[in-house]
Amino acid sequence: MQILLNGEHFTTEASSLDELCEALGFAGAKVATAVNGCFVAATARAKMCLAEADEVEVVAPRQGG
Amino acid sequence: MLKLYGTEISSRMLLGTAGYASPDILRQAVEASGAEIVTVSLRRESARAKTGQGFWALIEELGRRVLPNTAGCRTAKEAIATAQMAREVFGTNWIKLEVIANDDTLQPEVFGLVEAAATLSADGFDVLPYTTEDLSVAERLVGAGCEVLMPWGSPIGSARGLANKSGLQTLRAYFPDTPLIVDAGLGAPSHAAEAMEMGYDAVLLNTAIAKADDPVKMAKGFARAIEAGRLAYEAGIIEPRDMASPSTPVAGTPFFKIDTAS
């Protein structure tokens, strides 16, 4: 299915957010996730089913003022 | 001693981590500044580059208290989601709340700011809101649960210092017991000293140090200025006068004659 990942079109076969993160190599990484503008806790990623056109954000620590 | 949300903080400088020429310069500047609190952000992580993982290692190495921000958020919804993500990643309830109205001024979007502050405070966050010197907004933020206020000096990165001193003075007078931190727009250490002399509890800065020719030296300069301003405030600064008042005693001035022809 086609989703928006970090603002870009992305094709994935992952059915859950957790699967998507694994496929991207983010398992165990220092990241946080949101789907369609809402925070999804790490513990909730396995139950978070992805749907066509979902907007997924995967963020990590960065410099900031 | 500075106390924010019940935690004693040893330094009245909060330092941003963005824009340094290298991780090493960042490390040295943080060290030179004596800052106990450093601000950080969350940004999209590329599956290929995974840049954030390296930065996380640097943050851990710095060993300071981390204050995540919601920089770049335009709406309360974005800020709330970002804060929640930050809480999970950084393991802290503290959040520097930014909701931004305009790309040129980077001014706070005060309506979204108050809305997000209320939601986040209710959700157990310790909110440090980046706001303006507007008194009514400050009152709303305190009403929403904020126990710290961070009004701007001038636009982020503009190095213009304290653009509206009387506005900042008004906030200080209206919120005598609330920690007030000037955040944004400082350029020179004298700006920081000025804020501290007014009785502000701390300053938060980033660009003034990160983009200085010598960030490490500038960090030292700011640290001393902040200390100087605080000492001055505690020592009691003399009031300005319209006319001169001699410091040297008048009595016993040589060659002095009382003028009889008046």
Side-chain angles (χ1 to χ4, degrees), chain B:
Chain B
M1 177 60 96
L2 175 64
K3 222 174 185 184
L4 302 176
Y5 285 102
T7 301
E8 284 185 354
I9 303 294
S10 59
S11 166
R12 294 180 183 275
M13 182 180 350
L14 288 71
L15 188 53
T17 56
Y20 294 83
S22 70
D24 196 49
I25 302 271
L26 165 59
R27 237 181 251 114
Q28 288 181 58
V30 170
E31 192 66 38
S33 73
E36 189 183 320
I37 296 171
V38 294
T39 52
V40 293
S41 75
L42 285 176
R43 284 294 177 260
R44 287 168 165 170
E45 183 77 329
S46 146
R48 257 180 307 108
K50 293 199 172 67
T51 319
Q53 311 309 301
F55 182 68
W56 172 247
L58 173 56
I59 281 296
E60 285 197 295
E61 203 191 305
L62 287 175
R64 310 287 155 142
R65 174 177 280 272
V66 159
L67 174 60
N69 70 25
T70 64
C73 290
R74 306 312 216 87
T75 64
K77 185 177 181 195
E78 285 175 7
I80 290 162
T82 303
Q84 289 166 336
M85 292 193 286
R87 178 162 60 180
E88 185 180 84
V89 168
F90 294 109
T92 175
N93 276 326
W94 285 28
I95 190 77
K96 172 179 160 172
L97 182 60
E98 301 180 50
V99 184
I100 301 301
N102 179 289
D103 275 340
D104 290 318
T105 62
L106 296 179
Q107 66 194 82
E109 196 288 272
V110 298
F111 307 103
L113 179 68
V114 172
E115 184 191 334
T119 302
L120 292 172
S121 295
D123 190 20
F125 282 86
D126 293 333
V127 179
L128 289 80
Y130 160 65
T131 182
T132 67
E133 70 278 27
D134 187 306
L135 176 59
S136 70
V137 173
E139 286 177 333
R140 294 284 169 89
L141 288 168
V142 169
C146 296
E147 292 173 21
V148 175
L149 294 170
M150 305 212 294
W152 60 357
S154 52
I156 297 170
S158 69
R160 304 211 298 255
L162 308 183
N164 183 356
K165 270 177 267 192
S166 92
L168 292 175
Q169 270 157 355
T170 302
L171 286 185
R172 181 72 284 175
Y174 265 79
F175 300 103
D177 302 317
T178 304
L180 299 182
I181 301 173
V182 168
D183 172 18
L186 301 189
S190 51
H191 299 154
E194 221 178 342
M196 299 307 294
E197 285 167 19
M198 281 169 52
Y200 270 66
D201 297 279
V203 299
L204 198 162
L205 64 146
N206 190 156
T207 309
I209 288 178
K211 298 300 187 191
D213 291 340
D214 184 341
V216 180
K217 201 169 239 181
M218 187 58 78
K220 283 190 196 137
F222 266 97
R224 291 182 192 183
I226 289 161
E227 198 192 338
R230 182 64 187 180
L231 283 169
Y233 171 71
E234 290 175 354
I237 303 169
I238 57 171
E239 287 298 317
R241 305 168 61 100
D242 288 331
M243 294 294 156
S245 169
S247 43
T248 306
V250 172
T253 306
F255 314 115
F256 176 74
K257 288 180 184 56
I258 289 172
D259 186 6
T260 49
S262 53

